[in-house]
Amino acid sequence: MSGWAIAVHGGAGVDPNLPPHRQQEAKQLLTECLNLGISALRSNASALDVVELVVRKLETDPLFNSGRGSALTAKGTVEMEASIMDGTKRRCGAVSGVSTVKNPISLARLVMEKSPHSYLAYTGAEEFAREQGVETEDNEYFITPDNVGMLKLAKEANTILFDYRIPTEKCAGTESPVKMNGLPLSIYAPETVGCVVVDSQGRCAAATSTGGLMNKMSGRIGDSPLIGAGTYACEVCGVSCTGEGEAIIRGTLAREVAAVMEYKGYELQQAVDFVIKDRLDEGFAGLIAVSNKGEVAYGFNCNGMFRGCATENGFMEVGIWE
Amino acid sequence: MGWAIALHGGAGDIPYSLPLERRQPREEALRHCLQIGVKALKSNMAPLDVVELVVRELENIPHFNAGRGSVLTNKGTVEMEASIMDGNTMKCGAVSGLTTVVNAVSLARLVMDNTPHIYLAFDGAEDFARQQGVETLHTSHFITPENIERLNQAKEANRVQIDYTQPIQNDTTKGEPEIPFANGDSQLGTVGCVAVDGNGNLASATSTGGLVNKMVGRIGDTPLIGAGTYANELCAVSATGKGEAVIRGTVARDVAAMMEFKGLSLKEAADCVVHERTPKGTVGLVAVSAAGEVAMPYNTTGMFRACAAEDGYSEVAIWPDTKIE
């Protein structure tokens, strides 16, 4: 089975009480992203171009936690991070601590292609952005009223809000934790975004972007910009993760999916299931993945993940819950 | 079974012609750090504490590219980074962009122990250092004349100097400029240590100043869990070499992954990752297994390294054939 495939996510861990109109908004954005990607794939765009294109759209839209609409640091500012990986030669680029760059994922790509390095952060990343002439905005542009409100609540509770909503009550029929890392929430918490693609030539790519944890310490780096943790792509697959950053890092989650495929000969879905089931311990996370055979898969061990996927043979699905 | 420890001072194109006065201090330093680590293991110190102790020692020695003696950014500043991982709990800590912290590896440990996070960088990391009351010194403390000289050379040649200075064969990595032969003393590497005790508890730690003439804000493999540092129940690994190659090869993680998923031994897995899965001239690593084995493969000209095991084996070396005891 060959042909292109694409998957996109807007974060793992969703409040079962998420109001229907918010669910609709999310699904609509995910659908638009898929259509954007599909259109590009049909005109033979490369996997690398498509993942960047789709993540740019997700960053620009304030709905999810990346670019505009990013979660806020304890200081009320935005510190964004992103990474991108091209499976063909396993080239990669990443940025952290960007505060004025409109599309961090594009800056990450420029690090990969226009600098001698793989990862630039903070002042150095911002300087590079200016050298490269990418689009920038004042930090205020990225801050939404929703997130200002969330930060206030987080400070009141003196806690960190993670990438996902944490349900405070069990939903009938669903197993949902009351707490995640000891933090109950009943309000919408912003999400990381990501996209993975295999193009019509069997090349895989992955991209992930985020504002990180609400109320995080300035300088805190999560899994999204870390190659092997939040993002990974090689000859056989492309993976993007979301959820508890710390669990994803120590589990080297994105690399893990590829490693069991390469070293144990697992198929894509098998690899995804294995990693979600066996590599997360008490951690909560989700991921999306594509294989060079044109397959798409996703998995998560928490309450819901905003996602969408499509393959060349006409399959298309957008979902939130199990 | 039994304890084992291995440490490195960097892999690179270390020329055989390295003058004695450049060689000896580093060999002495490796021997000294090895002794400290062995003594600690023998007194039942936990491997996590041992690797931190040894890497602190390596950071304090100006001959290696970590802590004092760190190489300089293109602006003549230091930006130090480190990571540490406990194989039992899989807890980890990492820091980047430090300018005043005397022991980056210890700050990484504090991130692991005292915050809900894994990785802190730049201003945020420096703020955290002050909150935690760790030892800090004016950034000039870390800058040595040798490194100012290295930076000047690199700027003259308008290149980024990696751990080595001679042209790399079979270099398939992108964008790296050709590095002409320099004065033979420009190779400096990351430092790292891995250890296992008699009960199979494993830990790893790595620390560095990064690349000579690097862009401000450049992060390498050293603070990246799975690239420069990794430890789990099977093994502990600390990698060195060309950061970009170590990252794309997820070197430290891959050694463990091959042991776990392909059933390879430590040596086989380490050799495979270094000799078959990364380009020649880019990578070296030290690793120990839960069973007390040691591996120190590298695909560069040399790697400053030392190891010892409970069965009495001990080694301090730079190149493949010349061992110094």
Side-chain angles (χ1 to χ4, degrees), chain A residues 47-86:
Chain A
L48 189 65
D49 288 340
V50 178
V51 298
E52 181 189 1
L53 182 68
V54 171
V55 171
R56 281 178 66 93
K57 183 177 170 66
L58 287 160
E59 285 170 338
T60 306
D61 194 297
L63 189 66
F64 294 126
N65 173 11
S66 67
R68 188 157 165 257
S70 278
L72 306 180
T73 68
K75 296 179 183 173
T77 57
V78 162
E79 284 178 13
M80 300 171 284
E81 47 194 19
S83 62
I84 189 165
M85 192 160 186
D86 178 1

Side-chain angles (χ1 to χ4, degrees), chain A residues 119 121 219 221 255-256 263 279, chain B residues 119 121 217 219 253-254 260:
Chain A
Y119 190 6
I221 292 178
R255 171 65 186 125
E256 209 68 357
Y263 300 147
R279 294 287 126 149
Chain B
Y119 192 4
I219 293 177
R253 174 70 190 109
D254 265 35
E260 182 176 356

Side-chain angles (χ1 to χ4, degrees), chain B residues 107-125:
Chain B
L107 192 67
R109 174 102 192 244
L110 288 170
V111 173
M112 178 174 103
D113 288 343
N114 292 358
T115 76
H117 302 317
I118 283 182
Y119 192 4
L120 287 180
F122 293 87
D123 289 351

Side-chain angles (χ1 to χ4, degrees), chain A residues 71 73 77-81 97-98 122 210-212 216-220:
Chain A
T73 68
T77 57
V78 162
E79 284 178 13
M80 300 171 284
E81 47 194 19
V98 291
Y122 293 88
T210 191
K216 67 184 178 182
M217 289 168 76
S218 176
R220 179 265 187 184

Side-chain angles (χ1 to χ4, degrees), chain A residues 75 85 89-92 96 111-113 115-125 127-128 131 160 162 181 213 215-222 226-229 232 245-247 249-252 255-256 259-260 262-264 274 279 281, chain B residues 75 85 89-92 96 115-125 127-128 131 160 172 174-177 211 213-220 223-227 230 232 243-244 247-250 253-254 257-258 260-262 273 277:
Chain A
K75 296 179 183 173
M85 192 160 186
K89 292 199 175 120
R90 288 178 290 144
R91 304 179 304 146
C92 40
S96 278
V111 171
M112 177 172 87
E113 291 177 339
S115 87
H117 303 317
S118 290
Y119 190 6
L120 288 180
Y122 293 88
T123 318
E127 279 177 16
F128 179 68
E131 277 168 36
I160 296 166
F162 289 87
N181 260 24
L213 295 188
N215 202 27
K216 67 184 178 182
M217 289 168 76
S218 176
R220 179 265 187 184
I221 292 178
L226 304 191
I227 297 300
Y232 190 76
E246 281 68 25
I249 292 172
R250 77 165 57 89
T252 53
R255 171 65 186 125
E256 209 68 357
V260 292
E262 282 180 87
Y263 300 147
K264 278 178 87 88
F274 169 79
R279 294 287 126 149
D281 296 330
Chain B
K75 294 193 176 164
M85 189 160 186
T89 58
M90 306 277 289
K91 287 182 67 169
C92 31
S96 280
T115 76
H117 302 317
I118 283 182
Y119 192 4
L120 287 180
F122 293 87
D123 289 351
D127 286 347
F128 178 65
Q131 279 173 33
V160 169
T172 55
K174 56 110 179 103
E176 284 300 346
L211 295 187
N213 204 25
K214 66 182 177 179
M215 291 170 73
V216 164
R218 178 262 188 185
I219 293 177
L224 302 196
I225 299 299
Y230 190 75
N232 64 5
E244 284 67 20
I247 293 171
R248 84 159 42 96
T250 51
R253 174 70 190 109
D254 265 35
M258 293 196 132
E260 182 176 356
F261 299 136
K262 290 182 83 111
V273 171
R277 293 184 59 90

Side-chain angles (χ1 to χ4, degrees), chain A residues 5-57:
Chain A
I6 176 171
V8 59
H9 75 75
V14 186
D15 183 350
N17 298 319
L18 180 58
H21 74 272
R22 302 296 293 257
Q23 294 186 42
Q24 266 314 109
E25 269 176 357
K27 284 165 82 166
Q28 183 166 335
L29 178 55
L30 291 167
T31 306
E32 284 169 20
C33 287
L34 280 181
N35 286 333
L36 178 66
I38 290 169
S39 180
L41 282 164
R42 283 190 180 141
S43 23
N44 277 323
S46 70
L48 189 65
D49 288 340
V50 178
V51 298
E52 181 189 1
L53 182 68
V54 171
V55 171
R56 281 178 66 93
K57 183 177 170 66

